[in-house]
Amino acid sequence: MGGWFEATGVWGGRRWATTRPCAFRLRGGLGVVALGACLLASGPAFADARLEARRHFRAGMSLIGKGDYEAGIRELKAAYSTKPHPNVLFNIAHAYEDWGHLTDAIDWYQRYLAFDPPDAAAVQEAIARLEAKLIAAAPPSPPQPPPESPAPSAGTPAPALDPESLQRLTTLTERLEAAVAKAESLTSRRETASVVPSPSSQQATANEDVALDEDAADAPPYEEVLVTASRRTQSTLEAPYATTVITGEEIRLSGVTSLVELLRRVPGAEVMQLGIGSANVSFRGFNQRLANKVLVLIDGRTEYQDFLGLTLWSALPVGLDEIDRIEVIRGPGSALYGANAMLGVINIITRPPGTGPRGEFNATAGMGNRASGSFLASGGQNRLRYRASVAYDQGDKWSRDFADDRPDVQSTFPESSLGLRGVRGNFTATWQFSRELQLGASAGVNRLYTEVYPLGLLRNYAFDGLTAYAKSDLRAGPVKLKFFWNHLATTAGPQYEPRGEPSLLTHVQSNVFDLEALFSQELELLGPHQLIIGASGRLKHVVWDYLDGTHQELHAAAFVQDEWRILDPLRVVASWRIDRHPLLDSGKPGFAQSPRVSAVYIPFEGHALRASFATAFREPTYLESYTAVRIPIPGVNAASALTVGNTELRPERLIAYELGYRGERVSWGLEWDLALYQNEVKDLIVLSNLQPLPADQAYDPVSDTYLLGRSRFANEQGLYTARGVELGVRYSPVDRVDVRASTAVQRVTASGLPEGTACAPCTQAPTYKIQAGASWRSPAHFDFSVDAAYTSSTTWIEREPAATDPTRIENVSNPLPAYTVLNARVGYRLNENVEFAVAGTHLLDGHREHPFGNLIERRVFASVRVTP
C-alpha cells in the first residue's frame, strides 16, 4: 500500500529531514493522486495557506518520526484544517496505525476513501486487515461453568460444546471470513466508501465537490508543483528553468481585474499596458508593441495569435475566477514548445472540472464605466466532472486620443470612449473511464471589442469580433493525445482616421488546427530515466485583406526529452526538438532545431542549484511574410507608405545560458529564487527604413495614392546580448501574513549593426524593475493586500513623420520616465459564502508605459463574491 518513506528517500530529488519513516505519499503503482489545485476551503483561508499548511505538515511528520505521535497527529490535523488535502488524511491514518490506535486508523482511512483515491483497493485491504486484528485481539467472553452431569462411562464420546460457546466461535469465524473475503474481492474491484467526514473534512466539502487532479499526481501535500517546465509534474526545486507560480489564492486576494497586472509579480517580467484592453508582456528584454516572443497557453492550448504574432490578453476565454494557478517559465522553451516560446512560457491552468465551489457569482463595478459579472458552476457525478462559466466585462479607455468634435479626424467605431467589452462562455468536462483512461473536452467563445497597438505607423487599432476554441484530450496510460481548434473572426482598424483619406478598416479570419501526441515512460539504465517523446502537426489558414492573398501553412514537429537521475542529488535534463516550417529555407520548407541541456543539483533538502544551455527561435508570422498594406501618411493627402512582407525571412534565434539557485526554509516561511542569465539574440525581424520608390512606381492604382516609399520586413544583421540577474523572495513570518518582493537588473548591448543604426532593444529594455507586496487575512474577517511595481526610465525608438517634413518617415527617440504602479485591496468576509471587497489599481499619479499608450490613471472598484 505504499507506506512511509525512509529518511534517505526522496521525492523529485528532495530529501526529507526525518530520522525515521517520514511523511508523504507518492504514486508508485498504488500511490496517491494529489488534489490538483489544493481544494479551496469554504472556511477561513490565509495569505498563503499552502505555505502555512506545509509548515504544520512537516512539523507533524518530524514529530511522528521522533515517536511523538500525539503531537505529530495534532500538527497534521492543523495542516488539513488550514488547507484540505486528501493525502494528509492518509498520513493521519498511517500515524494512528503505527501508534497502535487501530480504531482511529480505520476511521481516518475511511475518511481518505471518501476522496476516491487511486489506491482505494489497497486501503480497503488495510482496513480489513486492521479489523481482523481488532477481532483477534478482542478478549474472549468469560467461560461459563459446565452443567452438572454424571461422569461419562467408558467408551462414551466427549460431550459437544455448549450452545453459547458454539455461537461465539461461529460468530468469530464468520467475521474473520468476511474480513478476508472483503479484502480479496477488493483486489479486483474498487469501492467508494460511504463515510461521515471529520469536522475538518466536512468544512472542506460543505460547498464543494471533490475531484483529483492528475497533473499533481506525484506531489507530496502542499508542495509547489508545476507541469510546464518539463511537460511532467515536478517540484519547483527540480525544474530546469527559473520559474514562478501564481496561485489562485493570490489572484483572489490581489483584487486586480486584469491578468497582466498579476504578471508584474514575476521577477524580470516586462509588462507594458497601452490601454485597458491592450498589453504586451515579455521577459528579459525585447518587449514591443506587438510582443511576439512569449508563448501563452491555457491548459496547454496556445493563445498566441499566429497571424499577427501577439497575445490578445483581453480575448482570453477564461476569467480570473476560473484560474487555479499560473505557471511562468522565464527562459527559452522552444525545446519543448517550439516556435514563439523564445523568451518564456506562460501557462494558465484552470480549475479541474468538479473542483471548487459548486456555484460562484462575482460582480465588479467602479470608475471608468467598469462593470463585470460572472457565474461559475462546477460539479459532477460518478466519473463525469464538469465546469461551466459565463461572464461579461466592459470598461472605458483611460484617455482619449482625439476629441469627437475634431474636424480633421473621425472615429471609425461608434463608441469612441470604449476600451473593452466582451461576453464569453466556457464549458469543460472530463470523463474518467478508469485510472488509466480519461477523456476531456472543452469549448469556449468570446464576443469582444478590444484594443491593440500595431507596429510602425499603425496605432490604436480596435478589434470587434469573435474568438472561439474547441479542445479534446485523451489520456491512456503513458500516452496523451491533444487536439484543438482556435478561431478568430474580426473587423479591425484604427479607432480614429483622418477625414477624406483611404480607410484601413480590415477583416481577418484565422483558423488553427493542432494535434499533438505525447508518450512518457520511466526507464532504468545506469540510473532512472524519465523519457518523454512527442510529435505534433499544425494547420494554419488565414484570410486577411492586409495580405497579398489567402495563405495556408502546414507545420510539423517532433521532440524528445530525457531526464536522467545520475545520482540522488544530481539530474541531467536533455531536450531536442525539430520544427518544420514551409518558408524557412529561403521561402521553401525548412527546419529549425532547438536543443537544450540542463543540470539540477539538490545537495540537501530545500536547496537546488541549476545550470542550463538552450537555444530557441521565433518563426516569421503571416504579417511578416505576406503583408502588403498601404498606410496613409498623417497630414499628407493622397500619400501612402507601402509595407510588404518577405517570404525569405530567417527565424529569430536565441542562445541562452543560465545559472540559478532556488531555496526554501519552511520553518521560517521563507522561499527565494536567484537567476543569472545571458541571452544572445540574432536575426531579429524588423521593419526596414522607408525606401523611396522611382518616379514611375510612385503612383499606386490599388489605393489611388502616391507612395512615398516602401518598407519591408527583414532580418537585422546585429547580435544583441542581454545580461541580467533576477531575485524573488517570499516570506510568511506568521500565520495569515504573506510578504513578497522581487528585483531584476538587466543590460542589453548590440554588436555588428550598420553604422548609424540605433539599438532599439538596448534603450527600450528597463534597467531596473522592483516589485513588492503583502497580503494579510485577519481573524476578524478582513483581508488586506497591496502591491507596488517600479520600472526605470526607457527610450522608445518608433517610426513617425518628421516634424519638419511629414513626407519623410524617421525613427524618433521617445523618452519615457520611470513609473510606479500601486494596487491595493480591502476585503470583508461576511460569512463563508459572501465576500465584499474594494480594490484600486494605478493609485499613484497618472503615467504612460509606452509613449503612444493611454495616460493610465487610477481606477477604484467594488466587488462581491458569493458561493451559494
Side-chain angles (χ1 to χ4, degrees):
M1 192 177 64
W4 306 79
F5 274 68
E6 300 297 331
T8 56
V10 296
W11 174 81
R14 178 176 298 189
R15 297 181 178 272
W16 294 85
T18 54
T19 56
R20 47 170 309 194
C22 69
F24 52 84
R25 297 275 297 161
L26 297 179
R27 189 177 76 174
L30 295 175
V32 172
V33 174
L35 189 61
C38 293
L39 299 174
L40 299 174
S42 59
F46 304 95
D48 190 347
R50 176 190 59 83
L51 194 58
E52 182 192 344
R54 184 164 51 154
R55 286 204 303 268
H56 285 300
F57 181 80
R58 288 196 176 182
M61 297 320 303
S62 178
L63 290 167
I64 291 170
K66 297 174 183 177
D68 190 349
Y69 289 99
E70 183 176 5
I73 291 172
R74 188 165 55 247
E75 287 288 335
L76 294 188
K77 290 180 178 179
Y80 187 82
S81 178
T82 300
K83 192 171 185 66
H85 195 299
N87 290 11
V88 180
L89 300 176
F90 175 89
N91 283 285
I92 293 173
H94 207 316
Y96 272 125
E97 180 181 353
D98 284 357
W99 194 14
H101 291 223
L102 303 188
T103 302
D104 289 326
I106 292 172
D107 178 43
W108 286 89
Y109 277 136
Q110 288 176 334
R111 295 173 184 177
Y112 169 68
L113 284 176
F115 288 87
D116 192 21
D119 58 347
V123 174
Q124 289 279 20
E125 290 179 15
I127 292 174
R129 174 174 48 81
L130 295 180
E131 288 176 342
K133 283 186 179 181
L134 286 173
I135 294 170
S141 301
Q144 299 293 327
E148 294 183 3
S149 60
S153 58
T156 302
L161 292 174
D162 64 276
E164 187 175 352
S165 297
L166 181 60
Q167 180 63 36
R168 289 199 306 270
L169 182 59
T170 302
T171 301
L172 181 61
T173 303
E174 289 175 350
R175 293 176 67 183
L176 286 172
E177 289 177 349
V180 172
K182 183 179 181 181
E184 291 176 347
S185 66
L186 286 170
T187 60
S188 60
R189 66 183 181 89
R190 298 176 59 246
E191 297 180 356
T192 301
S194 176
V195 299
V196 178
S198 65
S200 58
S201 177
Q202 187 175 3
Q203 181 186 52
T205 59
N207 292 315
E208 301 174 18
D209 195 14
V210 177
L212 296 174
D213 180 11
E214 292 288 341
D215 281 340
D218 299 322
Y222 313 120
E223 290 303 307
E224 188 172 85
V225 298
L226 64 160
V227 298
T228 309
S230 295
R231 303 293 291 265
R232 72 171 188 87
T233 304
Q234 60 186 172
S235 74
T236 52
L237 282 177
E238 63 180 345
Y241 289 124
T243 61
T244 302
V245 178
I246 302 174
T247 66
E249 289 181 64
E250 292 181 70
I251 295 172
R252 190 170 60 255
L253 288 174
S254 68
V256 302
T257 58
S258 168
L259 189 149
V260 293
E261 286 293 333
L262 288 167
L263 297 176
R264 297 185 194 271
R265 299 183 176 190
V266 177
E270 295 180 15
V271 176
M272 183 174 66
Q273 193 92 41
L274 290 100
I276 189 173
S278 177
N280 291 280
V281 178
S282 187
F283 299 114
R284 301 175 176 178
F286 304 96
N287 208 356
Q288 58 190 44
R289 278 191 277 161
L290 289 183
N292 53 22
K293 298 174 179 60
V294 173
L295 181 63
V296 178
L297 307 170
I298 296 181
D299 295 327
R301 178 184 61 83
T302 178
E303 278 290 339
Y304 186 93
Q305 298 294 336
D306 297 66
F307 76 98
L308 194 56
L310 88 161
T311 298
L312 290 170
W313 292 96
S314 55
L316 300 185
V318 298
L320 296 178
D321 52 345
E322 298 177 72
I323 298 175
D324 175 69
R325 66 188 186 275
I326 302 171
E327 298 182 359
V328 180
I329 307 303
R330 303 168 355 239
S334 291
L336 290 180
Y337 296 96
N340 314 321
M342 182 170 168
L343 294 179
V345 180
I346 300 172
N347 193 5
I348 302 165
I349 299 174
T350 60
R351 297 180 187 176
T355 64
R358 294 180 183 272
E360 179 178 337
F361 172 77
N362 292 274
T364 300
M367 299 170 61
N369 197 30
R370 193 64 187 257
S372 64
S374 66
F375 178 74
L376 178 66
S378 184
Q381 187 175 10
N382 298 326
R383 296 299 180 189
L384 176 65
R385 304 281 177 172
Y386 71 87
R387 186 188 74 245
S389 67
V390 293
Y392 172 82
D393 192 16
Q394 73 168 38
D396 283 350
K397 298 161 64 72
W398 277 301
S399 61
R400 294 281 300 275
D401 300 275
F402 300 97
D404 287 334
D405 56 356
R406 286 280 295 261
D408 57 335
V409 176
Q410 62 183 353
S411 176
T412 309
F413 294 86
E415 298 183 73
S416 55
S417 295
L418 186 65
L420 169 67
R421 176 178 290 159
V423 180
R424 65 177 183 273
N426 267 292
F427 182 80
T428 301
T430 59
W431 180 271
Q432 192 156 342
F433 298 94
S434 68
R435 285 296 166 189
E436 297 298 318
L437 183 61
Q438 177 176 297
L439 177 65
S442 60
V445 63
N446 191 354
R447 176 67 177 88
L448 79 152
Y449 173 94
T450 189
E451 301 173 291
V452 67
Y453 286 72
L455 296 173
L457 295 174
L458 302 179
R459 302 185 191 174
N460 202 9
Y461 263 47
F463 272 41
D464 187 4
L466 179 143
T467 65
Y469 78 94
K471 176 173 174 279
S472 63
D473 297 271
L474 177 66
R475 185 192 307 236
V479 177
K480 297 180 183 178
L481 296 177
K482 177 177 64 181
F483 171 80
F484 67 80
W485 163 65
N486 285 348
H487 173 72
L488 180 143
T490 184
T491 297
Q495 291 183 330
Y496 298 92
E497 289 186 325
R499 296 181 186 272
E501 293 191 1
S503 176
L504 284 173
L505 205 65
T506 182
H507 302 278
V508 185
Q509 182 168 305
S510 170
N511 289 281
V512 175
F513 302 89
D514 190 284
L515 176 65
E516 180 185 78
L518 194 71
F519 172 80
S520 60
Q521 184 65 52
E522 295 182 359
L523 304 173
E524 190 71 31
L525 179 63
L526 301 178
H529 294 255
Q530 181 72 46
L531 181 67
I532 299 176
I533 301 174
S536 65
R538 175 174 292 194
L539 177 65
K540 305 177 184 180
H541 182 83
V542 176
V543 179
W544 186 13
D545 47 23
Y546 275 15
L547 306 182
D548 57 11
T550 299
H551 294 275
Q552 181 169 289
E553 293 183 349
L554 179 62
H555 299 244
F559 63 89
V560 61
Q561 174 176 280
D562 181 33
E563 182 176 328
W564 179 23
R565 189 178 301 173
I566 301 176
L567 301 170
D568 275 343
L570 176 64
R571 67 194 61 217
V572 175
V573 182
S575 311
W576 178 77
R577 176 173 173 130
I578 183 168
D579 283 77
R580 185 250 188 210
H581 187 286
L583 298 178
L584 286 192
D585 185 9
S586 300
K588 297 179 294 185
F591 297 90
Q593 301 185 52
S594 306
R596 182 193 76 183
V597 94
S598 304
V600 180
Y601 180 63
I602 306 177
F604 43 88
E605 178 189 356
H607 299 269
L609 303 173
R610 64 180 182 272
S612 66
F613 164 81
T615 65
F617 74 101
R618 183 186 73 83
E619 65 188 15
T621 66
Y622 271 69
L623 176 71
E624 294 162 337
S625 297
Y626 308 115
T627 189
V629 61
R630 285 83 175 164
I631 304 172
I633 302 300
V636 183
N637 292 331
S640 300
L642 176 64
T643 299
V644 297
N646 183 355
T647 58
E648 298 185 3
L649 290 169
R650 299 183 300 276
E652 296 181 345
R653 286 288 188 179
L654 167 71
I655 298 177
Y657 308 87
E658 183 179 315
L659 296 174
Y661 167 42
R662 189 177 186 93
E664 60 181 25
R665 191 69 180 267
V666 177
S667 59
W668 295 355
L670 185 63
E671 298 177 345
W672 63 90
D673 185 32
L674 174 68
L676 294 87
Y677 64 88
Q678 175 175 302
N679 290 342
E680 298 177 357
V681 178
K682 64 179 181 179
D683 290 330
L684 270 184
I685 298 174
V686 298
L687 199 55
S688 69
N689 293 328
L690 196 66
Q691 303 295 327
L693 293 173
D696 59 345
Q697 300 178 22
Y699 176 72
D700 177 44
V702 176
S703 61
D704 193 24
T705 62
Y706 287 93
L707 301 177
L708 298 183
R710 181 180 64 185
S711 294
R712 190 183 189 195
F713 286 97
N715 293 103
E716 273 197 341
Q717 300 177 11
L719 173 67
Y720 296 93
T721 302
R723 298 183 179 92
V725 57
E726 301 164 350
L727 174 64
V729 178
R730 171 175 289 181
Y731 181 44
S732 297
V734 295
D735 290 353
R736 303 182 175 91
V737 174
D738 181 23
V739 180
R740 58 195 167 273
S742 68
T743 184
V745 181
Q746 67 177 343
R747 183 168 181 259
V748 180
T749 59
S751 60
L753 292 176
E755 187 176 353
T757 302
C759 175
C762 303
T763 62
Q764 294 171 181
T767 304
Y768 304 102
K769 297 182 292 291
I770 302 172
Q771 189 276 336
S775 301
W776 176 43
R777 286 180 76 85
S778 74
H781 299 277
F782 280 99
D783 304 333
F784 302 92
S785 68
V786 61
D787 285 276
Y790 168 82
T791 302
S792 63
S793 60
T794 53
T795 298
W796 291 84
I797 300 175
E798 297 284 359
R799 293 182 174 228
E800 298 180 66
T804 57
D805 182 4
T807 64
R808 192 172 74 250
I809 307 301
E810 298 178 340
N811 288 325
V812 179
S813 297
N814 298 273
L816 187 71
Y819 60 88
T820 301
V821 174
L822 179 66
N823 303 325
R825 175 186 181 271
V826 178
Y828 177 71
R829 303 184 305 278
L830 183 64
N831 52 44
E832 294 180 354
N833 305 105
V834 180
E835 183 177 19
F836 299 97
V838 175
T841 60
H842 303 280
L843 294 173
L844 301 180
D845 294 336
H847 69 278
R848 298 183 191 272
E849 299 181 10
H850 185 278
F852 298 164
N854 281 191
L855 177 63
I856 302 175
E857 298 175 339
R858 75 173 56 88
R859 295 275 172 92
V860 179
F861 317 101
S863 64
V864 60
R865 176 177 181 261
V866 180
T867 55

